[in-house]
Structures are given as structure tokens and as C-alpha cells.
């Protein structure tokens, strides 16, 4: 495979990424695409805070404001947070379990392209008559009444992106079940792998309700379906149920991998085994399970009746127990350890108080009668930003610093990393802490403006100033990334010095086949065990060097997705433009044809021969 | 558990216990929180029993949660201070502790107990605040004993009908103090949510069903800054969601009865030449949607204007001045984007109303009152 090592031109590199099925390259693409959407969502957030910096502001109009908040929420959840987590799952999980790739490399590629095309489709709405404007929850009566095509972009875009997420989830599940190296029992899996596993199981069960809901919405808006039109026997509350049966587990799909990331970081930088590993695993599974039992707490004010509200209130409070277990286990992990405050550790330490604050306000909102006051006020805005920014985003930023050396064989600047942290962290609390009080003081959420002298002026201004700090933090991060990439100083494996799991044992840059020989796992924190026993290579092997079977690259996933993307426009303009139906048919034809190609054409992959492997010392 | 950990824990627990004085905490919280916000709008200054119950639940939940936060913070700070690598030594490998069953049991059982403390009042209040059984009670004469208001939320205004009293009004809810007031809530177009923060939590107005709950008001609103409580729409309902405010006037029972009587009997009268001129314009351009008599039932296309002169705001959110009223009539889309009131061109032969016409209309509308 000496040809791989040669320096490639831009065109060849581009083609390589368009067709790659390598989990490491797909991880990089998730990282770049997710990062771009994160910046777009961040700009939308800044527009929101500029508009609300002072009362009676007219920086953006009422209608545009609703488009911005809708796209901010949708982008951040579906197109930034999830893909960025997928980037780390893809980059890290197969290496952690000692696998050569995920179970279905082709599907991995397909999943990425579906997400990207779905996200692009959704964002094209800005240039094609206006973005969706019914909130990221898109409640049915408003989303059916919304003029223009914004909601259609939302429904079709999320349907395409959602299919990608679903495929990725199945792929991770099968990978973790089937592709663990010898000795990697379930109870030896690193927490990042465990949380990927549970989050993927949640995706498996949570995305179908969303898919159904979105199909109903598409049928209602584009094909006269009447599922939600109450004048035709439909019911809008059904949408709320479908959305939240998906939407609540979605929160755990985001936060569980964040827990996994922090579990790795606490153990590495406290130089200590994760405290209460088995109870951490148990808590993860329990949170995942309970996550499906509480969706109606988003609907306490819908008028469900006291018995339903009481049951869902108590169930919601119950989730605090396993979450509390996790917090205390993390605290006891650093307790008695040897804490080194690197940038990832700084994020992890910042996460604890932030997430505890978000968690306790969650319990408060679980108390249904209290939630009648808090629901749809700025209190809830503060709460979910505390868990999503204080939990998920801090985890993503931590993971970026932690695993950058693993993904790129370079180290992000620690100094700039800490600057980013402090700006982002202080800005975050400045922006959102005060919003709890705005909510308690009667300010509803999703308001494009507010009248002066209702007692909200000063707090809104402070909140907007905080947002500027967060933006500065992100700008420093971008600078940091650019400098690091330009400098391109290789750091080798285990650059933090205290890596505990298999991904740190593998030589850098990671060979495209990952492990030359499949490792033998001898316990939890297998790399740590090998290092403690003085094994210089960091791995014990389960097999002699032999031929490795590899999948071929494929352009089919890209084309398959392109077909759906084209079909989306056909569905969207159905009944309005003459070309709509032909385009719909054409798009679907492309997709089905590429499916046929995939099914009919035999693709057995290729083998890397033993002799070639012997000559190679890692490297690409 | 190794000894260092145990020592540290005992230390942490002692500090924790010293700091934890639930009552002083509650008292401090109450004072701190009620300092926040405006009396006519804040959930922290409850105006009646429902809001008070919910505020008490907030205090209880906050106290429990503060306790949890304090415990976490103490362990956290001590751990960070004590176990930094600089202190521990660069090459020290800490003992690789697996876990502790005792600790696991402690931090499972204690949170469960704390949550039970919170869950009990939660369940009790959930049933209490949903209890509308007294809504249909009648006295010996067969009259309803409680006031019921049918609220219809529309883009972007509120209609309030008193079905047992034969009165309908809009934008300003008038209710008696010192008793439970019952609400039937529904939306006419898209979903909204009915929220009077000072009085209690919100309840959605759905398009397909009627939701019911009750609120209570202790005192008359006359003493408040604007003489009214503020009400808000709490569910995103379109571009002007933020402007879908309403006001609540609370009167003692006698004043309320007088208001009802007046509302039923008052006829719209134009007082003076200018107002009469305004009435004529109104009767050609506006009356198809806006009623000027409060006696009647719900279902108005536009807000009932019988009490317009008594109101606190123009279009629900603008200061109640003739200037604002004239601006509003001549360009409603500018002030409340997406609302359903026709632009003046549609009503006035393709032209904006002239300054004279506007003066006349404003004079007439500002004269409409049932409180005089």
C-alpha cells in the first residue's frame, strides 16, 4: 500500500473524502461539517441576543426573528451537537474497542452524506423564500398555518438528516456488539463506548416517532394529509406527543456521550481509575431507559389531566437519581487522584457545577405545578442551555482538545485552549444564569421584543453581553485551530502521557487499517495496564500478523443521498411548479438506481497482504 | 474506602452540616426572590392562592436543590484543592480505587428521600390546581355561584366571555377578588397559552379542545402601577407572539357586580359632533368586525370595543393614547405584523384614513366606556 503514503493532489484528496468509508476520515468530515453548522447556529444566537439587548429593538423584524430562533435551535441540535458527537464516536469508539472499522463502513459514509445534504437542504431555505418559523418544535397548528415553504424545508431537511442519524445509530450498535477485540467484554468497555452504545440504542427507538411525525407533517403540508388539521378530524396534540417521544430521548442522545467524554477525561487527568465503573454503566443504561418515560413533562401545560401530569412529574424526578450517582462518581474519581488541569480537564471541571445547576433546575421543572409557571418562560431557556451548553457543548469542546492529537497527530495550543475556556465559560454563565430570573419575572420565551419598564431591561442587556464573551471564546478557538493546523507539529501517540484506553496505544498517525494485529484486552483501561506492566508497545496481541480484509471506497452513498436531496425539491414545490413532479421522480429514481447498483454489484473489498504490513511502521 | 478519602469526607460533611440551616436558607431565598420583578407581572410576588402554592413549591424546590449544590460544591472544591498534581507529586500513581458500595448506597438513598419530600406537595398541588368541580355549583335559585370566563385566544388578541352573565369583552379581563375564578380556554386559529404570571401558572389554549382551570386574586388591582395585572401569551403563535399581551383588572365583588350590570346595559353613544362623525365612519368601516356593546356572546371577528375607553393599552401593548390609536388604525401591520385586522385601504375605498377621519374615529372610540 505504498501508493497511499504518497502526497496527493487536491483533486485526489477531495475524491478520497467523497468516496471514503474509513471511520477516521468520516469522523473528520463530521467534525468539519458539524463545526460549520455550529458557527452558523452561533451567529444566529448572536443575532437573537443583539435583538434582545434592549427593549423595543428593531434590529430584526418579528417574522425574521422567528426564523432565526427556529434555525438556531434546529441547527444546534440536529446539525451541530449531534454530528460533532458523531465525529468523536467515529474517531474514538472503534479504536477503543480494538476494531479495524465500524461494522458497516458503507453505511457510515451514507449516514454522513444524508446528514450533510439534509443540513444543506434545511439551510437553503434562507435563500429560497425564508426559513422555517414555528420554533424547533414546530407545533402543528402553527406549522400548518405558516405561509411559504419554510416548514417544508424543515420537514424534508430533517427527514433526510434524520435518516442519516438513524443509520449511524444502527451502525454503532452493531459495531459495539460484534466488533470488540478479544477480551473486551461489555464490562471492560470504556465509558465513551458505553455511552455511544446507549445513545445509539436511544436513536434506534427515538427517531422512528420523529420520522412518522415529519412524514405526517410533509403529507399535511404538501399532499393534503389532514393528520394534524383539527377541522378535518386531525389533532395537533398528536404532533406534540410524537415530537417529544422523540425529543426527550434526544436530550439523552446528546448528553450521554457528553458523560462518556467527561468520564474519560476525569480518569485520564486524575490519573485514576473511574470511580464506581459498574454503577456508572448502570446509571447510563437507567438514564437511557427512563429517558423514554418522561416526554410528557414537556407538555404539562397542554391540559393532560392531573393524573398524567403527576405520573410524569414523579418519573421525571426519578432521573435525578442516576444522574446524581454519576456526578458523585466523577467527584470521587478526582478525589484521591492526581489532578492535572489541562484544557480538557478544565472543561470537565467547569462542567460539574454548570451541569449540576442545569440538573437541579430540571428537577424544579419536573414539579408540574411549578412548571405551570416556568414552562415557556425564560426559565426554561436558561435550563436547557445549562444542560446543553453546560453539558454537551463543554463536552464537545473538551473532546476536541482531548482527541485532536488522536485525530490529527497534532496538539491544540493549551494556552489558547484555556483562554477559550474562560471566555466561553464566563460568558455562558453571564448569558444564561440571569435568564432564570427573567423567566420567574414573567418573561415568556420566543418573544422577538419586549416592552420597556417591565423589569426585564437590565437583565436582558447583561445576558447579551455574556453572549459576546462566548463569541470571543469561539473566535479564539478558531484561531487556535488554524495556528495548530499550519504549524503541523506531530506529537505521536499518548501525548497526554496518562492515556488509559486503547485509542492512545495505537501508533500515530493511525494506520488506515487501525490495528496491524488485533489487540488482546486484559482488563478495564487496557493501555494503562500494559503501561504499568512496562509493556513498551502498549498492546498485547491476540493474533499473529496476517492479511487484513478492507472495504473499497464508494461514491454510491453520495449519489444515493444526492437523489433524495433532488427529490426533496420536487416534493417541496409539488402543486406549485410544473417541474415539481418530474424532479421528485427523477430524484427518487437516482436514489433507487444507486441502491440497485449497490445491491447488484459484488464488492468484495481487498486485502492488505502480510508482507506489506511487515514493512510498514504505522503511517498512512 | 481508604483513610484519606474518609477523612476528607468527614470534613466535607461537617462543613456541609454547618452551612445547612434550612429555615434561614428559605427565609433568605424568599427575601431575595421577592425582590425580583414587578408586582403586576412577576411569579415571585404571587397575587393569589394558586400563584402562592406554586411560589411555595419554588421555594421548597430551590431549598432542596441549594442543599444538593452546596454538598457537591464542597466535595468538588476540597478535591480540586487537595489533589492537584503539584501537591500530590509529579510521579505519584494514585491508588486505583474501584468504587464503594457504601457510598453508592448513600448517594442513591439520600437523593431519593429528598425527591420524595418534593414529590408529595407536587402531586397534591397537581390535583388541587386541576380541580374545577366547583365550577358548576349553583345556589338555591339555580344561578352559578362562581364566575366562569370563556377565554378565546386569537391572532393576536384575547376574547373574554362571561357566559353566565351575558357579557363579552376583549383584551382586558375583569374578575372579582377573593374567590376562585374559573376559565374555559380555547384557541380560535393556532395554539396560544394563557398566562397571568402574578396569579399563577399558564394553561395552553388548544385548537381542538377546551382546557379548564382556576385562578384566585387576593386584592384589587387598582393599587398597581398601571392598575392592572399583566397577562401574556406563552406559546409561540406567529410573528406578533411577543405583542399578544392582555391586562387583568381585579375588582371586589360589589364593584364587579356593578361592572357586569353596567356592561349589560351600557349602549355605545357618541358624545359630541366629532364623536358622532367618528361613529358614522365606524359604522361603515369597522362594525362588521367590532361590536360596541358588551352584552352578547363570544365569536367576534375583531375585539369587542364596548369598553375601549376604559382600557389600558391600544392593540394590547401600546400606550393608551389617541396618537397611538390613530397610528394603529392607519397601519396595523406595521405595529403588529401578521395580525388579521384589514389595512385601512381595504376599508376606506383604497385609501388611508385622512387625519380628520382618524381624529373622529379616535374621539368616538376613546368615548366608549362602561365604567363611567
Amino acid at each position: 500500500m505504498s501508493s497511499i503514503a504518497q502526497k496527493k493532489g487536491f483533486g485526489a484528496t477531495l475524491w478520497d473524502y467523497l468516496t471514503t468509508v474509513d471511520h477516521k476520515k468520516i469522523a473528520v468530515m463530521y467534525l468539519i461539517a458539524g463545526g460549520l453548522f455550529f458557527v452558523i447556529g452561533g451567529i444566529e444566537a448572536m443575532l437573537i441576543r443583539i435583538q434582545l439587548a434592549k427593549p423595543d429593538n428593531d434590529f430584526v423584524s418579528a417574522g425574521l426573528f422567528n426564523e432565526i430562533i427556529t434555525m438556531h435551535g434546529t441547527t444546534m441540535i440536529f446539525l451541530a451537537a449531534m454530528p460533532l458527537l458523531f465525529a468523536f464516536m467515529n474517531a474514538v469508539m472503534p479504536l477503543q474497542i480494538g476494531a479495524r472499522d465500524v461494522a458497516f463502513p458503507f453505511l457510515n459514509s451514507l449516514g454522513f452524506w444524508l446528514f450533510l445534504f439534509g443540513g444543506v437542504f434545511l439551510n437553503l431555505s434562507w435563500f429560497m423564500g425564508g426559513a422555517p418559523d414555528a420554533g424547533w418544535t414546530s407545533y402543528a397548528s402553527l406549522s400548518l398555518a405558516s405561509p411559504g415553504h419554510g416548514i417544508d424545508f424543515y420537514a424534508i431537511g430533517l427527514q433526510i438528516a434524520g435518516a442519516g442519524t438513524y443509520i449511524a445509530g444502527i451502525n454503532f450498535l452493531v459495531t459495539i456488539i460484534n466488533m470488540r477485540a478479544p477480551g473486551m467484554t461489555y464490562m471492560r468497555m470504556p465509558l465513551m463506548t458505553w455511552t455511544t452504545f446507549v445513545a445509539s440504542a436511544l436513536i434506534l427507538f427515538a427517531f422512528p416517532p420523529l420520522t412518522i411525525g415529519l412524514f405526517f407533517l410533509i403529507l399535511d403540508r404538501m399532499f393534503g394529509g389532514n393528520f394534524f388539521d383539527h377541522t378535518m378530524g386531525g389533532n395537533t396534540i398528536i404532533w406534540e406527543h410524537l415530537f417529544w417521544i422523540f425529543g426527550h430521548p434526544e436530550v439523552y442522545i446528546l448528553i450521554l456521550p457528553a458523560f462518556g467524554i467527561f468520564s474519560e477525561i476525569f480518569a485520564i487527568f486524575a490519573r485514576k481509575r473511574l470511580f464506581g465503573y459498574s454503577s456508572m454503566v448502570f446509571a447510563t443504561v437507567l438514564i437511557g431507559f427512563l429517558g423514554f418515560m418522561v416526554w410528557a413533562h414537556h407538555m404539562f401545560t397542554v391540559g393532560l389531566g392531573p393524573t398524567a401530569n403527576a405520573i410524569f412529574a414523579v418519573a421525571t424526578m426519578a432521573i435525578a437519581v442516576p444522574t446524581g450517582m454519576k456526578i458523585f462518581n466523577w467527584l470521587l474519581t478526582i478525589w484521591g487522584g492526581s489532578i492535572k488541569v489541562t484544557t480538557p480537564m478544565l472543561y470537565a471541571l467547569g462542567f460539574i457545577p454548570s451541569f449540576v445547576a442545569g440538573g437541579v433546575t430540571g428537577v424544579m421543572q419536573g414539579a408540574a405545578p411549578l412548571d405551570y409557571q416556568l414552562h415557556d418562560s425564560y426559565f426554561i431557556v436558561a435550563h436547557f442551555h445549562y444542560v446543553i451548553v453546560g453539558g454537551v457543548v463543554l463536552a464537545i469542546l473538551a473532546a476536541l482538545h482531548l482527541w485532536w492529537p488522536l485525530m490529527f497527530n497534532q496538539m491544540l495550543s493549551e494556552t489558547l485552549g484555556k483562554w477559550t475556556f474562560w471566555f466561553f465559560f464566563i460568558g455562558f454563565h453571564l448569558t444564561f444564569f440571569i435568564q432564570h430570573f427573567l423567566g420567574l419575572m414573567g418573561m415568556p420565551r420566543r418573544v422577538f421584543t419586549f416592552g420597556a419598564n417591565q423589569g426585564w431591561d437590565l437583565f436582558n442587556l447583561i445576558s447579551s453581553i455574556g453572549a459576546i464573551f462566548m463569541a470571543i471564546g469561539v473566535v479564539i478557538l478558531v484561531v487556535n485551530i488554524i495556528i495548530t493546523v499550519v504549524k503541523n507539529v506531530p506529537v505521536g501517540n499518548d501525548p497526554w502521557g496518562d492515556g488509559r484506553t486503547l485509542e492512545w496505544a495505537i501508533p500515530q498517525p493511525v494506520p488506515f487499517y487501525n490495528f496491524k494485529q488485533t489487540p488482546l484486552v486484559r482488563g478495564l483501561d487496557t493501555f494503562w495496564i500494559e503501561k504499568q506492566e512496562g509493556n513498551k508497545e502498549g498492546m498485547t496481541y491476540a493474533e499473529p500478523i496476517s492479511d487484513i480484509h478492507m472495504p473499497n471506497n464508494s461514491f454510491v452513498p453520495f449519489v444515493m443521498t444526492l437523489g433524495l436531496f433532488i427529490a426533496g425539491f420536487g416534493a417541496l414545490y409539488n402543486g406549485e411548479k410544473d417541474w415539481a413532479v418530474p424532479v421528485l421522480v427523477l430524484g427518487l429514481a437516482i436514489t433507487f438506481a444507486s441502491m440497485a447498483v449497490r445491491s447488484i454489484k459484488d464488492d468484495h473489498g481487498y486485502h492488505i497482504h502480510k508482507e506489506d504490513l511487515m514493512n510498514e511502521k504505522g503511517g498512512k | 474506602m481508604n483513610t484519606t478519602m474518609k477523612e476528607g469526607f468527614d470534613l466535607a460533611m461537617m462543613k456541609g452540616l454547618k452551612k445547612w440551616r434550612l429555615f434561614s436558607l428559605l427565609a433568605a431565598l424568599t427575601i431575595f426572590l421577592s425582590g425580583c420583578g414587578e408586582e403586576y407581572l412577576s411569579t415571585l410576588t404571587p397575587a393569589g392562592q394558586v400563584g402562592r402554592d406554586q411560589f411555595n413549591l419554588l421555594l421548597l424546590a430551590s431549598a432542596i436543590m441549594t442543599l444538593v449544590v452546596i454538598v457537591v460544591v464542597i466535595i468538588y472544591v476540597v478535591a480540586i484543592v487537595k489533589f492537584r498534581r503539584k501537591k500530590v507529586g509529579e510521579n505519584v500513581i494514585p491508588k486505583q480505587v474501584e468504587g464503594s458500595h457504601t457510598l453508592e448506597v448513600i448517594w442513591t438513598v439520600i437523593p431519593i428521600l429528598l425527591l420524595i419530600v418534593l414529590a408529595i406537595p407536587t402531586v397534591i398541588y397537581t390535583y388541587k390546581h386541576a380541580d374545577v368541580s366547583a365550577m358548576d355549583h349553583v345556589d338555591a335559585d339555580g344561578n352559578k355561584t362562581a364566575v366562569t370566563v370563556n377565554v378565546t385566544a386569537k391572532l393576536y388578541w384575547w376574547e373574554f366571555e362571561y357566559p353566565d352573565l351575558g357579557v363579552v369583552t376583549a383584551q382586558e379581563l375583569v374578575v372579582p377578588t377573593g374567590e376562585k375564578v374559573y376559565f374555559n380556554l380555547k384557541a380560535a386559529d393556532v395554539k396560544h397559552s394563557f398566562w397571568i404570571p402574578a396569579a399563577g401558572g399558564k394553561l395552553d389554549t388548544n385548537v381542538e379542545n377546551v382546557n379548564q382551570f382556576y385562578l384566585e386574586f387576593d386584592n384589587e388591582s387598582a393599587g398597581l402601577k398601571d392598575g392592572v395585572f399583566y397577562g401574556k401569551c406563552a406559546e409561540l403563535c406567529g410573528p406578533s407572539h411577543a405583542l399578544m399581551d392582555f391586562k387583568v383588572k381585579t375588582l371586589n365583588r360589589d364593584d364587579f357586580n356593578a361592572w357586569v350590570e353596567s356592561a349589560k346595559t351600557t349602549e355605545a353613544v357618541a358624545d359630541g359632533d366629532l364623536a358622532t362623525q367618528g361613529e358614522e365612519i365606524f359604522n361603515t368601516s369597522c362594525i362588521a368586525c367590532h361590536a360596541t356593546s358588551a352584552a352578547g356572546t363570544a365569536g367576534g371577528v375583531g375585539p369587542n370595543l364596548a369598553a375601549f375607553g376604559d382600557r389600558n393599552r391600544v392593540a394590547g401593548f401600546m400606550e393608551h393614547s389617541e396618537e397611538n390609536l390613530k397610528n394603529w388604525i392607519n397601519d396595523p401591520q406595521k405595529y403588529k405584523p401578521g395580525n388579521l385586522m384589514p389595512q385601512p385601504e381595504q376599508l376606506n375605498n383604497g385609501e388611508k384614513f385622512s387625519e380628520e377621519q382618524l381624529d373622529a374615529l379616535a374621539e368616538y372610540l376613546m368615548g366608549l366606556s362602561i365604567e363611567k
Side-chain angles (χ1 to χ4, degrees):
Chain A
M1 288 292 108
S2 52
S3 63
I4 309 281
Q6 283 168 12
K7 191 90 184 153
K8 279 184 277 192
F10 176 75
T13 311
L14 182 67
W15 180 250
D16 185 30
Y17 274 85
L18 285 177
T19 59
T20 189
V21 294
D22 182 344
H23 72 97
K24 298 179 289 297
K25 286 181 180 161
I26 290 172
V28 172
M29 293 198 291
Y30 267 120
L31 192 65
I32 295 170
L36 280 177
F37 284 123
F38 180 74
V39 170
I40 293 172
I43 292 170
E44 284 153 1
M46 293 308 293
L47 296 178
I48 294 171
R49 280 322 317 171
I50 293 172
Q51 168 70 9
L52 295 178
K54 60 173 187 165
D56 300 314
N57 202 358
D58 59 355
F59 176 72
V60 295
S61 71
L64 181 59
F65 184 86
N66 287 354
E67 294 175 29
I68 294 171
I69 57 160
T70 303
M71 287 300 282
H72 168 69
T74 313
T75 302
M76 284 303 198
I77 298 278
F78 290 98
L79 308 179
M82 268 208 296
L84 286 170
L85 290 171
F86 281 178
F88 300 120
M89 291 175 181
N90 256 310
V92 177
M93 182 272 288
L95 299 179
Q96 279 195 335
I97 62 171
R100 292 224 165 84
D101 205 323
V102 291
F104 306 116
F106 180 92
L107 287 187
N108 203 12
S109 162
L110 180 62
F112 169 77
W113 291 113
L114 283 168
F115 140 68
L116 184 63
F117 275 100
V120 170
F121 189 89
L122 180 55
N123 274 278
L124 281 177
S125 61
W126 285 116
F127 310 103
M128 302 180 73
D133 60 356
W136 86 284
T137 51
S138 207
Y139 274 14
S141 62
L142 183 60
S143 62
L144 292 189
S146 171
H149 283 298
I151 303 295
D152 305 336
F153 277 105
Y154 168 94
I156 295 173
L158 284 191
Q159 195 70 292
I160 297 173
T165 307
Y166 196 65
I167 287 172
I170 292 175
N171 205 353
F172 291 142
L173 274 179
V174 179
T175 305
I176 294 171
I177 292 172
N178 288 308
M179 307 213 19
R180 283 166 292 128
M184 179 60 84
T185 60
Y186 280 105
M187 290 311 277
R188 285 178 183 174
M189 293 196 312
L191 251 285
M192 176 64 186
T193 299
W194 255 114
T195 52
T196 301
F197 186 62
V198 177
S200 300
L202 295 188
I203 289 174
L204 187 71
F205 293 108
F207 267 70
L210 176 70
T211 307
I212 293 166
L214 288 174
F215 266 128
F216 285 178
L217 188 60
I218 289 170
L219 287 168
D220 265 19
R221 284 194 52 105
M222 284 159 254
F223 304 97
N226 295 335
F227 288 100
F228 302 126
D229 183 351
H230 72 288
T231 60
M232 300 298 287
N235 185 301
T236 60
I237 312 296
I238 295 295
W239 166 268
E240 295 184 30
H241 280 295
L242 286 171
F243 187 86
W244 288 117
I245 289 172
F246 147 78
H248 195 78
E250 169 67 20
V251 179
Y252 294 101
I253 293 169
L254 296 176
I255 200 64
L256 287 178
F259 288 170
I261 290 163
F262 287 127
S263 298
E264 304 288 331
I265 291 172
F266 282 122
I268 292 173
F269 297 105
R271 221 179 240 173
K272 190 158 159 279
R273 184 192 149 105
L274 188 66
F275 191 88
Y277 170 83
S278 38
S279 75
M280 287 297 250
V281 170
F282 172 72
T284 305
V285 176
L286 190 62
I287 292 171
F289 179 76
L290 287 176
F292 280 98
M293 309 292 157
V294 298
W295 80 88
H297 69 212
H298 298 266
M299 300 168 61
F300 279 152
T301 66
V302 170
L304 294 180
T307 306
N309 278 358
I311 289 170
F312 279 101
V314 175
T316 302
M317 292 180 189
I319 292 194
V321 176
T323 315
M325 280 163 70
K326 278 182 168 286
I327 297 281
F328 286 111
N329 275 310
W330 285 319
L331 289 174
L332 267 284
T333 302
I334 58 173
W335 190 279
S338 165
I339 302 169
K340 188 174 181 189
V341 186
T342 57
T343 305
M345 189 62 166
L346 201 51
Y347 279 106
L349 293 173
F351 154 80
I352 296 263
S354 313
F355 191 78
V356 168
V360 297
T361 52
V363 175
M364 290 165 77
Q365 284 167 137
L370 177 54
D371 185 65
Y372 300 160
Q373 283 286 22
L374 307 179
H375 178 78
D376 270 348
S377 77
Y378 254 83
F379 191 93
I380 183 76
V381 177
H383 160 72
F384 67 67
H385 282 95
Y386 259 81
V387 286
I388 292 183
V389 181
V392 182
V393 176
L394 290 186
I396 287 170
L397 294 175
L400 189 74
H401 288 86
L402 175 70
W403 283 313
W404 190 273
L406 179 74
M407 294 175 79
F408 302 104
N409 194 22
Q410 310 159 338
M411 197 88 159
L412 288 170
S413 155
E414 281 284 285
T415 317
L416 288 179
K418 285 175 184 169
W419 276 104
T420 300
F421 171 81
W422 285 113
F423 270 106
F424 195 82
F425 187 74
I426 292 169
F428 156 66
H429 284 284
L430 208 52
T431 307
F432 294 110
F433 187 72
I434 215 153
Q435 291 184 358
H436 292 110
F437 296 95
L438 280 173
L440 292 171
M441 286 151 62
M443 181 165 169
R445 71 189 280 210
R446 290 169 165 174
V447 288
F448 83 96
T449 190
F450 57 94
N453 301 319
Q454 300 185 79
W456 307 337
D457 306 5
L458 176 66
F459 283 10
N460 272 296
L461 178 63
I462 294 173
S463 183
S464 294
I465 292 170
I468 297 170
F469 279 74
M470 292 173 84
I472 294 173
V474 174
V475 170
I476 298 176
L477 175 68
V478 173
V479 171
N480 191 358
I481 290 173
I482 293 170
I483 292 177
T484 307
V485 170
V486 171
K487 275 191 188 164
N488 194 16
V489 185
V491 289
N493 67 336
D494 199 15
W496 301 107
D498 288 316
R500 308 177 69 85
T501 42
L502 265 177
E503 80 267 30
W504 303 111
I506 205 161
Q508 278 286 353
V510 182
F512 65 96
Y513 46 80
N514 291 359
F515 296 91
K516 198 181 284 185
Q517 292 162 275
T518 299
L520 178 70
V521 176
R522 300 196 293 147
L524 181 68
D525 295 335
T526 173
F527 181 44
W528 176 264
I529 293 173
E530 300 292 344
K531 279 197 290 189
Q532 291 301 301
E533 295 184 359
N535 180 348
K536 288 270 177 296
E537 270 190 74
M539 272 189 272
T540 305
Y541 301 108
E543 57 174 20
I545 296 184
S546 53
D547 290 1
I548 297 175
H549 180 217
M550 295 294 292
N552 281 323
N553 282 7
S554 174
F555 193 48
V556 176
F558 186 92
V559 179
M560 209 182 269
T561 310
L562 186 68
L564 283 181
F565 181 76
I566 292 170
F569 287 103
L572 196 125
Y573 287 105
N574 179 43
E576 190 181 307
K577 300 264 179 7
D578 291 338
W579 48 260
V581 173
V583 165
L584 177 62
V585 173
L586 172 77
L588 290 176
I590 294 174
T591 299
F592 286 124
S594 33
M595 284 175 167
V597 168
R598 169 70 182 165
S599 304
I600 294 161
K601 203 180 113 190
D602 273 337
D603 184 353
H604 295 300
Y606 64 97
H607 282 85
I608 315 170
H609 296 293
K610 193 176 160 186
E611 302 73 44
D612 294 325
L613 282 171
M614 302 282 248
N615 297 335
E616 234 179 273
K617 298 249 177 239
K620 304 202 173 182
Chain B
M1 233 193 311
N2 66 36
T3 42
T4 9
M5 201 194 309
K6 191 152 172 37
E7 274 167 28
F9 235 87
D10 292 343
L11 188 78
M13 292 303 271
M14 263 164 54
K15 276 190 190 167
L17 285 175
K18 265 185 197 165
K19 286 198 179 176
W20 177 42
R21 297 202 179 92
L22 189 64
F23 288 107
S24 53
L25 196 70
L26 268 175
L29 264 173
T30 317
I31 294 164
F32 173 66
L33 288 177
S34 49
C36 275
E38 305 289 347
E39 198 185 351
Y40 52 85
L41 176 62
S42 175
T43 67
L44 304 172
T45 50
Q49 192 54 46
V50 175
R52 205 149 42 236
D53 289 346
Q54 291 164 352
F55 180 63
N56 289 338
L57 202 51
L58 173 72
L59 289 181
L60 175 67
S62 305
I64 294 174
M65 294 306 143
T66 310
L67 181 68
V68 173
V69 170
I70 289 173
V71 172
V72 169
V73 166
I74 290 171
I75 303 176
Y76 172 81
V77 171
V78 174
I80 294 179
V81 172
K82 257 183 99 171
F83 301 106
R84 288 289 284 272
R85 191 160 300 176
K86 278 179 225 153
K87 282 200 175 172
V88 178
E90 197 58 41
N91 294 315
V92 174
I93 303 291
K95 186 163 177 248
Q96 303 292 305
V97 190
E98 278 198 27
S100 157
H101 283 294
T102 323
L103 286 177
E104 297 286 355
V105 171
I106 291 173
W107 61 55
T108 308
V109 172
I110 293 177
I112 289 177
L113 294 176
L114 290 177
L115 288 174
I116 289 174
V117 172
L118 182 60
I120 291 170
T122 294
V123 172
I124 292 172
Y125 285 149
T126 304
Y127 280 94
K128 183 183 169 191
H129 294 168
D131 180 11
V132 289
S133 55
M135 199 170 179
D136 297 321
H137 286 184
V138 285
D139 60 18
D141 304 331
N143 292 321
K144 292 267 180 72
T145 50
V147 173
T148 299
V149 184
N150 291 344
V151 178
T152 312
K154 309 188 186 191
L155 291 166
Y156 300 92
W157 60 281
W158 301 85
E159 184 168 62
F160 304 111
E161 181 195 20
Y162 302 75
D164 309 314
L165 308 172
V167 172
V168 64
T169 180
Q171 299 293 54
E172 271 193 30
L173 173 66
V174 181
V175 289
T177 56
E179 59 184 273
K180 287 180 178 172
V181 180
Y182 292 89
F183 294 92
N184 290 314
L185 305 167
K186 199 170 190 318
D189 29 52
V190 300
K191 183 181 172 102
H192 306 272
S193 189
F194 178 79
W195 188 26
I196 307 166
K202 59 191 73 65
L203 189 59
D204 293 353
T205 60
N206 297 325
V207 291
E208 56 266 285
N209 69 293
V210 173
N211 278 338
Q212 298 182 320
F213 79 151
Y214 70 91
L215 294 170
E216 282 181 80
F217 297 85
D218 294 339
N219 299 313
E220 289 165 52
S221 60
L224 298 170
K225 193 183 85 177
D226 294 332
V228 286
F229 290 102
Y230 281 25
K232 300 276 173 187
C233 173
E235 182 68 58
L236 180 64
C237 53
S240 288
H241 160 58
L243 307 176
M244 194 170 157
D245 289 3
F246 62 98
K247 301 289 178 280
V248 186
K249 191 174 286 180
T250 59
L251 304 171
N252 66 46
R253 190 65 205 220
D254 292 341
D255 288 350
F256 177 75
N257 289 342
W259 178 83
V260 170
E261 210 44 50
S262 170
K264 278 202 280 201
T265 50
T266 306
E267 298 276 335
V269 276
D271 197 9
D273 286 349
L274 192 58
T276 313
Q277 215 183 318
E279 185 178 24
E280 277 168 27
I281 303 169
F282 188 89
N283 286 345
T284 32
S285 299
C286 315
I287 205 155
C289 299
H290 294 284
T292 52
S293 163
T297 53
V301 179
N304 185 302
L305 298 178
F308 187 84
D310 306 330
R311 283 206 207 142
N312 195 273
R313 288 289 193 281
V314 171
F317 73 102
M318 288 187 282
E319 197 196 331
H320 198 65
S321 67
E322 287 205 7
E323 192 56 37
N324 280 336
L325 175 60
K326 291 191 286 187
N327 288 341
W328 163 253
I329 293 172
N330 240 1
D331 199 355
Q333 281 306 318
K334 178 180 166 193
Y335 295 95
K336 225 175 186 177
N339 85 84
L340 303 179
M341 175 155 153
Q343 290 292 103
E345 292 86 345
Q346 288 165 263
L347 305 169
N348 193 34
N349 309 320
E351 286 170 25
K352 294 246 184 235
F353 290 109
S354 67
E355 199 57 36
E356 292 76 34
Q357 287 175 306
L358 287 173
D359 284 339
L361 270 173
E363 177 74 13
Y364 171 65
L365 288 171
M366 286 294 189
L368 295 176
S369 168
I370 53 179
E371 285 181 18
K372 280 191 295 211

